[in-house]
Amino acid sequence: MFRTSRRAAILAAGALMLTLVACDTGPDESEAEDLSGNRTGAMADYKLGDQFKATEALSFSMLYNNHPSYALKDDWLFWSELSKRTNVKLENVAVPLSDYEQKRSLLIGAGDAPFIIPKTYHPQEDAFVSSGAILPVSDYVDLMPNFKDKVAKWNLKPEIDSLRQQDGKYYLLPGLHERPWQDYSIAVRTDVLQQLNLQVPKTWDDVYTMLKAMKAANPSTYPFSDRWSKPTPGGNLINIVTASFGAFGGWNYQHAKFNEGTKKFEYNGASDTYKQSVEYLHKLVSEGLLDPESFIQSDDQARQKLANGKSFVISSNAQTLVNDYRADLAKTLPTAKLAKIPLPVGPAGEINPASRTENGIMISKKARESKNFVAMMQFIDWLWYSDAGQEFAKWGVEGTTFTKDGSGKRSLASDVNVVGLNPSGTKHLQKDFGFYNGVFAYGGNPELVNGFFSAEEQEIQKVMGARKPVAPQPPAPFTDEEREQATLWETALKDHVTQMTLKFILGQRPLSEWNAYVAELKAKNSQQYIDLKNKAYERFKKANS
């Protein structure tokens, strides 16, 4: 799918190509391309653990997701130190966070995408595969010893296999975690719990009981008023509730869900587990426990309600707890106490729904023709996947932004703050230096991932770490023709699921009409979609049995 002629060859020899996936070497080593003309600036013998440094000054274009909390600055230490260590300068095509996905699609579609395209969440890459606009990166991971080492050492083959397309290749270099890390949950006013003589909730049923008690004590309030609903209504809340019920929703909506009992895919938005999660959220809204504006209001509006004591519960992660909520409350309700709690347990049991892979990097097909292509892949391998590169991206420069003790434990420099770890620090690791930037700093071993966690967050991660990880969905890649057809169905299906989910939750459509809603999905080809998915699953399984 990299070239038209190659696509034809793949279709002609599909079974042979898929069989390669089962081999020890896999498709990653199935084609020995001639890269002799693409090695300018590359290290001749780059291997695991090496500091990458280009043999001449190089620059690579990159799509940059510009986060409003730490807006891009050209004079960040990150850029100058990166050039010093690697002899590489990144030419950023900066796009605001709110427009990133749309702009990325437009640039790729027009053939104007930068070489490096990070912050891509699987399966977003699927839309760009059949056109040949992005590279099958699995063909080139032999250039990336750190990436290959972590996949092997951390037993990430199932996660990597779940990324594979019909040709047996994958087109996204994902962020890699040694262990799953569930960051998003809800934050609760623990001082209010204490006043009401309530325990910290452990299950979603406990959350319901807690909200009922809060409502009874404060009848004029909605105890739970949420954020993160733009651009995806209920983005986090629907995500974490559906995950706890055994489905996909919100930010993580997926059309197909694998049923371990039947060993077949089913349409997620019509499944019993999705229905149960919708029923739960409807109950919260109908009883005045969850603010109906949660699904349309801005983050600032949600934060103001919490800060003004008009709500007591809100979606949270480790950073927003400290940077947003506690900072807000300190100004308005200084005696208030707020804590993030472990993800409440639902009918799916004590699971950790976080994936060990996360957003990753696509590579523009234009990059393959560059004389510096090999050097670029070595650079990506070092910055995103080596231990040294991951430490640099997160912590910065030893002696300037952080220190190490005799045992190797890292600590922020005394004048540097991030996520409230050094409140008296006059400099901010993200805003003033450019480190701990979501474009670069993610993944790694638990010591690195947990490095900025407070003691309370460490305890939360202990709880989550003891839970059973959710298995990745099995591979069921479409052919080019199937993908084209599925894409036509997916937009209409997702729009309908999103609209009707909100109507059911808000009571604008009675839940007694659920069967009618399922019929509407079938009229929009949900069953044909699932039939296609199961056909792809059986084909891939047969080719690799």
Side-chain angles (χ1 to χ4, degrees):
M1 293 188 285
F2 174 34
R3 301 184 183 90
T4 304
S5 60
R6 184 169 165 204
R7 176 181 175 274
I10 289 168
L11 291 175
L16 175 61
M17 287 292 295
L18 287 172
T19 302
L20 287 169
V21 181
C23 300
D24 292 338
T25 56
D28 310 339
E29 301 176 17
S30 63
E31 296 184 12
E33 293 190 32
D34 180 11
L35 295 170
S36 58
N38 308 93
R39 293 185 173 274
T40 301
M43 293 174 62
D45 187 27
Y46 174 68
K47 56 186 182 298
L48 179 66
D50 284 352
Q51 167 64 55
F52 168 77
K53 189 161 190 176
T55 58
E56 61 181 65
L58 301 177
S59 62
F60 303 123
S61 59
M62 186 185 77
L63 194 62
Y64 182 86
N65 189 327
N66 200 1
H67 200 292
S69 295
Y70 41 92
L72 174 65
K73 294 180 182 177
D74 292 335
D75 63 351
W76 275 340
L77 177 62
F78 179 90
W79 306 121
S80 57
E81 185 68 21
L82 182 66
S83 293
K84 177 182 174 182
R85 296 189 187 197
T86 66
N87 211 13
V88 169
K89 179 181 179 182
L90 289 172
E91 298 173 353
N92 295 308
V93 178
V95 178
L97 171 66
S98 58
D99 298 328
Y100 189 77
E101 291 182 17
Q102 181 180 15
K103 183 68 171 178
R104 180 183 61 201
S105 295
L106 290 173
L107 288 170
I108 294 175
D112 296 328
F115 282 7
I116 304 172
I117 311 170
K119 295 298 284 186
T120 299
Y121 291 83
H122 178 70
Q124 292 173 343
E125 77 277 16
D126 289 358
F128 311 113
V129 169
S130 61
S131 68
I134 59 173
L135 283 186
V137 289
S138 55
D139 280 351
Y140 306 103
V141 294
D142 280 349
L143 303 174
M144 306 179 67
N146 292 287
F147 174 84
K148 290 187 69 174
D149 177 67
K150 283 180 168 53
V151 169
K153 184 168 58 179
W154 296 345
N155 299 313
L156 286 165
K157 186 178 184 298
E159 284 82 356
I160 295 298
D161 283 347
S162 72
L163 305 176
R164 295 190 187 276
Q165 301 290 332
Q166 167 62 14
D167 59 1
K169 302 174 186 293
Y170 52 94
Y171 291 69
L172 181 74
L173 290 168
L176 305 177
H177 285 275
E178 182 177 358
R179 298 176 190 167
W181 168 44
Q182 176 65 34
D183 189 17
Y184 286 84
S185 183
I186 58 174
V188 177
R189 280 276 303 275
T190 53
D191 58 314
V192 175
L193 293 184
Q194 190 172 15
Q195 292 169 12
L196 299 175
N197 197 28
L198 296 171
Q199 299 295 314
V200 172
K202 293 183 179 180
T203 68
W204 285 109
D205 286 342
D206 293 342
V207 170
Y208 170 75
T209 301
M210 172 191 73
L211 294 174
K212 289 279 284 186
M214 288 176 167
K215 180 74 173 181
N218 303 273
S220 63
T221 68
Y222 290 107
F224 192 168
S225 189
D226 212 22
R227 66 179 298 180
W228 288 325
S229 284
K230 294 180 182 293
T232 306
N236 177 63
L237 180 58
I238 297 177
N239 174 26
I240 59 176
V241 170
T242 52
S244 301
F245 279 71
F248 302 109
W251 284 335
N252 192 36
Y253 184 77
Q254 298 179 40
H255 293 281
K257 179 170 73 76
F258 192 70
N259 186 316
E260 288 290 347
T262 63
K263 297 298 180 183
K264 290 183 179 296
F265 282 93
E266 59 187 14
Y267 193 75
N268 170 61
S271 65
D272 289 341
T273 48
Y274 192 85
K275 179 185 179 182
Q276 291 163 11
S277 62
V278 170
E279 288 173 335
Y280 176 83
L281 289 168
H282 168 73
K283 180 170 68 170
L284 298 189
V285 171
S286 66
E287 297 186 21
L289 309 180
L290 174 62
D291 185 356
E293 292 185 356
S294 295
F295 301 93
I296 57 172
Q297 68 189 353
S298 68
D299 286 2
D300 285 345
Q301 289 172 311
R303 287 173 60 180
Q304 287 170 9
K305 290 176 181 178
L306 182 73
N308 294 331
K310 294 181 179 179
S311 68
F312 314 111
V313 181
I314 191 169
S315 281
S316 184
N317 61 25
Q319 284 198 61
T320 55
L321 175 70
V322 176
N323 291 350
D324 293 355
Y325 310 142
R326 285 180 176 168
D328 293 344
L329 287 167
K331 298 173 185 175
T332 57
L333 298 169
T335 61
K337 294 182 180 179
L338 189 78
K340 192 187 100 173
I341 68 172
L343 182 66
V345 175
E350 295 198 13
I351 59 169
N352 188 333
S355 171
R356 292 200 296 156
T357 57
E358 59 169 277
N359 73 81
I361 302 164
M362 295 187 294
I363 305 295
S364 169
K365 72 171 183 179
K366 294 185 300 184
R368 172 62 183 80
E369 306 307 319
S370 167
K371 65 180 182 179
N372 308 128
F373 175 69
V374 173
M376 187 189 77
M377 298 304 289
Q378 292 176 346
F379 167 78
I380 290 171
D381 181 64
W382 180 82
L383 179 56
W384 274 276
Y385 298 104
S386 75
D387 292 344
Q390 289 180 337
E391 178 186 77
F392 166 73
K394 183 165 186 175
W395 284 89
V397 179
E398 186 174 1
T400 302
T401 59
F402 78 102
T403 59
K404 282 184 181 179
D405 63 18
S407 66
K409 182 180 179 181
R410 308 175 189 91
S411 300
L412 284 171
S414 60
D415 61 343
V416 177
N417 185 32
V418 74
V419 294
L421 290 178
N422 276 342
S424 61
T426 57
K427 302 169 187 174
H428 196 277
L429 188 66
Q430 295 168 311
K431 298 175 183 178
D432 297 320
F433 294 101
F435 298 105
Y436 198 24
N437 183 325
V439 175
F440 306 105
Y442 51 77
N445 59 41
E447 181 192 8
L448 185 72
V449 171
N450 299 349
F452 292 155
F453 289 168
S454 63
E456 63 180 313
E457 181 64 23
Q458 297 275 9
E459 289 302 312
I460 290 173
Q461 292 306 319
K462 282 183 183 178
V463 172
M464 295 305 301
R467 297 182 184 177
K468 181 182 178 181
V470 174
Q473 300 252 92
F478 292 136
T479 65
D480 287 357
E481 290 77 10
E482 289 170 342
R483 164 51 53 200
E484 185 176 353
Q485 178 61 75
T487 300
L488 294 175
W489 293 334
E490 284 173 343
T491 300
L493 283 167
K494 187 174 182 181
D495 286 348
H496 196 65
V497 170
T498 300
Q499 292 169 17
M500 293 305 107
T501 295
L502 286 179
K503 285 183 178 292
F504 284 131
I505 290 172
L506 296 174
Q508 296 168 356
R509 184 175 187 181
L511 282 161
S512 59
E513 294 186 11
W514 182 267
N515 289 340
Y517 153 74
V518 172
E520 291 158 10
L521 290 176
K522 289 182 178 178
K524 295 179 184 295
N525 301 298
S526 64
Q527 188 58 54
Q528 289 94 321
Y529 182 90
I530 289 302
D531 290 345
L532 203 63
K533 193 73 173 176
N534 280 314
K535 177 183 174 183
Y537 166 67
E538 293 295 338
R539 180 178 60 227
F540 195 90
K541 185 173 68 170
K542 182 178 180 180
N544 293 279
S545 59

